[in-house]
Amino acid sequence: GGDTPRMGHFNSSLEDHTRDHGFFGYVGIEAVLDQMRHKAMKTGFEFNVMVVGQSGLGKSTLMNTLFKSKVSRKSCTPDYEEKIHKTVHLQSVSHVIEEKGVKMKLTIIDTPGFGDQINNENCWDPIEKYINVQYEEYLKEELSINRKRRIPDTRVHCCVYFLPPSGHWLRPIDVEFMKRLGKIVNIVPVIAKADTLTIEERLEFRDRIKRDLEAYEISVYPQKEYDQDVEDQILNDKIREKIPFAVVGTDKEHQVNGNKILGRKTKWGIIEVENVAHCEFSDLRDLLIRSHLQDLKDITHNIHYETYRVRRLNEIKMNGIGLSPLMLVNSGSEKDDAGNHV
């Protein structure tokens, strides 16, 4: 019995020794990060962005500006003609963008026809259906017996919603769309063609939109309830202050003081797209790509997709006894047929 204190004393002195002198030497745990980086660079990753807003708001131009390449549907279609669609069509274009050895499969989902009709009732239905069909596809893959090691991810990670620069309030279509879709996808609202508003009008419009978002309880990204810690909260609060971002897109370069810069030329000067004093394009780019791309994907997987998954599995459980992947495939196929006509 008398040995116990000595044993305790030995252990604590061993810990002190390990702490002070690196008794066991270097383990190398942080090398895991290099392994993960190496793996990620080899396999590459997917990022799927949906753009929604009426025609003429510069959606295609903004996407091209964001990814510094011609990624929009318009740029990829020779002899492209802008025509107003009678209904909402969904069209997606995928590209592999490579930078410093990192490959990204970028998919831009466009929604021509949204908000262009005289009667825009239920014009969000095809969009809602499309998002859910992607969740369904992923769920089917996940539950199939011979599932792929890497499930192709077509789920919409982010929806950039373009608000016309009216300077007034949110329109009923904006409220209805963001209220419905905010529950199933990450929405990032932006004020399009912000150069048509003065700085004062811009700030006033933003305040009004913020008040509307609060009044109608609309959830936009980054959502307060998903902040993981104080550091997250501080960073996201700064972003939340600036939402909706006032943006201007262009894919034309101009010479300013001997430097080539992206900008829009007007009679009275050049609006520098990447200059924070001129517009908030760089804030949007940082949010979507440089700081929050992985977070957008995580929230899509852990929150939106998870909510869908639980709901679907409960539906299937209630309709049938037990659960088999086959049942899911069968019950999903009717949904699919509906979704494939989108």
Side-chain angles (χ1 to χ4, degrees):
D3 283 348
T4 319
R6 268 213 309 279
M7 194 69 188
H9 175 69
F10 173 73
N11 279 346
S12 64
S13 67
L14 178 66
E15 278 167 24
D16 292 343
H17 189 72
T18 312
R19 229 186 349 256
D20 301 339
H21 306 289
F23 183 69
F24 292 120
Y26 170 69
V27 179
I29 297 166
E30 86 236 30
V32 169
L33 294 174
D34 293 334
Q35 295 167 35
M36 286 161 81
R37 182 185 165 82
H38 180 66
K39 226 172 191 175
M41 281 180 82
K42 242 164 76 178
T43 52
F45 59 98
E46 294 129 324
F47 187 50
N48 309 319
V49 185
M50 180 182 267
V51 286
V52 181
Q54 66 196 61
S55 52
L57 289 180
K59 299 187 294 293
S60 301
T61 311
L62 188 80
M63 284 299 117
N64 290 347
T65 318
L66 262 178
F67 295 100
K68 295 236 185 335
S69 48
K70 301 212 175 294
V71 292
S72 71
R73 185 178 42 91
K74 274 187 196 176
S75 322
C76 306
T77 318
D79 316 319
Y80 178 83
E81 241 179 87
E82 181 77 275
K83 61 178 190 286
I84 302 278
H85 292 273
K86 295 271 188 294
T87 54
V88 180
H89 288 256
L90 274 95
Q91 294 166 326
S92 67
V93 186
S94 293
H95 302 267
V96 175
I97 297 179
E98 194 167 340
E99 187 179 63
K100 292 184 179 174
V102 181
K103 282 194 187 113
M104 173 167 86
K105 185 188 175 197
L106 172 73
T107 302
I108 307 277
I109 303 117
D110 197 358
T111 53
F114 177 86
D116 290 334
Q117 272 65 45
I118 291 166
N119 177 10
N120 286 303
E121 212 179 334
N122 300 339
C123 63
W124 44 80
D125 278 354
I127 298 172
E128 202 170 344
K129 195 178 283 177
Y130 178 91
I131 292 168
N132 283 327
V133 166
Q134 309 318 308
Y135 290 150
E136 184 71 27
E137 287 294 314
Y138 197 89
L139 181 59
K140 268 200 260 177
E141 276 296 340
E142 223 176 31
L143 291 174
S144 76
I145 296 163
N146 304 315
R147 65 177 180 181
K148 296 172 183 139
R149 273 184 67 184
R150 248 183 118 225
I151 299 173
D153 190 1
T154 58
R155 297 169 301 178
V156 179
H157 300 127
C158 174
C159 170
V160 182
Y161 187 73
F162 287 70
L163 297 160
S166 65
H168 301 299
W169 304 90
L170 286 180
R171 302 164 304 164
I173 185 175
D174 303 327
V175 172
E176 196 59 42
F177 178 87
M178 290 197 278
K179 208 172 164 62
R180 280 165 174 269
L181 276 284
K183 295 183 177 94
I184 61 169
V185 72
N186 297 314
I187 292 182
V188 176
V190 297
I191 300 168
K193 298 202 164 176
D195 50 329
T196 59
L197 298 169
T198 65
I199 302 287
E200 290 79 15
E201 284 170 340
R202 210 189 278 181
L203 293 171
E204 211 172 291
F205 190 30
R206 173 179 295 143
D207 284 344
R208 283 178 177 172
I209 290 169
K210 275 193 165 137
R211 288 205 293 273
D212 274 354
L213 291 174
E214 227 166 89
Y216 293 109
E217 295 177 352
I218 293 166
S219 166
V220 296
Y221 183 83
Q223 302 92 331
K224 255 197 177 117
E225 58 270 34
Y226 307 142
D227 290 347
Q228 289 187 338
D229 50 38
V230 179
E231 194 187 338
D232 252 15
Q233 196 186 335
I234 293 165
L235 174 68
N236 289 342
D237 278 345
K238 279 184 191 159
I239 295 164
R240 281 188 277 262
E241 268 170 40
K242 289 186 173 180
I243 277 181
F245 298 119
V247 293
V248 179
T250 183
D251 33 25
K252 292 187 174 58
E253 284 188 328
H254 299 280
Q255 289 278 348
V256 174
N257 304 330
N259 298 321
K260 270 188 175 179
I261 59 138
L262 278 170
R264 267 174 65 88
K265 199 168 190 175
T266 62
K267 280 180 190 170
W268 48 87
I270 289 170
I271 296 151
E272 297 171 30
V273 168
E274 295 181 288
N275 183 338
V276 187
H278 290 203
C279 89
E280 288 153 358
F281 166 80
S282 49
D283 290 318
L284 176 69
R285 180 202 55 210
D286 290 352
L287 176 76
L288 291 187
I289 304 166
R290 297 188 184 176
S291 64
H292 283 64
L293 188 147
Q294 191 53 50
D295 189 55
L296 283 160
K297 293 184 72 171
D298 290 345
I299 287 181
T300 301
H301 183 73
N302 301 327
I303 311 287
H304 298 307
Y305 169 66
E306 196 55 33
T307 308
Y308 179 86
R309 187 177 157 276
V310 169
R311 183 172 61 86
R312 282 292 286 130
L313 295 187
N314 280 333
E315 275 173 22
I316 293 158
K317 229 178 213 168
M318 283 167 74
N319 295 340
I321 305 129
L323 171 70
S324 75
L326 196 64
M327 282 168 57
L328 182 77
V329 173
N330 293 338
S331 69
S333 58
E334 297 132 34
K335 274 196 161 194
D336 251 19
D337 292 340
N340 281 336
H341 298 311
V342 169

